[in-house]
Amino acid sequence: MTIDAPLDAPAVSAPLNGLLTSPILPTLLRLAIVAIGGWWLASIDAPAWTLFALVGGGMIVLGLGTALSIRVTRWGPLKRLARTHAMSEKAAARLAKPQI
């Protein structure tokens, strides 16, 4: 697979700007909940349904956390372009215009 955009394009450097960091954090939280909770449930010989309930609770945490992180993240292209290239939004708007 080839990428036609230059390496400093906003679409390529977006993960480095923290846009994808916020949805990853709930995933790590779910992993911690299921790993620690699963270890604890296994150590006390809990019934199988409690493990399924733990995994379901972890999925709820993942869904709500991801929805919240996507809601609070600024996804605007001009602001992201301006932040990526350290320029004003006006300059980013000029850069984002298609050149004919």
Side-chain angles (χ1 to χ4, degrees):
M1 180 176 156
T2 60
I3 298 174
D4 294 334
L7 290 179
D8 62 344
V12 176
S13 62
L16 301 177
N17 289 333
L19 291 178
L20 294 181
T21 304
S22 58
I24 291 174
L25 294 177
T27 305
L28 295 176
L29 181 61
R30 175 183 174 255
L31 175 66
I33 289 171
V34 171
I36 294 169
W39 172 79
W40 179 70
L41 288 174
S43 68
I44 63 170
D45 290 330
W49 70 267
T50 58
L51 186 59
F52 287 108
L54 175 71
V55 171
M59 294 179 99
I60 290 171
V61 167
L62 173 64
L64 293 175
T66 302
L68 178 68
S69 68
I70 288 173
R71 175 71 177 117
V72 300
T73 301
R74 292 184 183 183
W75 296 96
L78 293 182
K79 289 183 181 180
R80 184 174 61 227
L81 181 65
R83 189 176 62 236
T84 302
H85 296 289
M87 63 178 71
S88 69
E89 286 187 41
K90 221 178 231 188
R94 281 195 308 271
L95 185 64
K97 283 184 183 177
Q99 297 182 7
I100 299 174

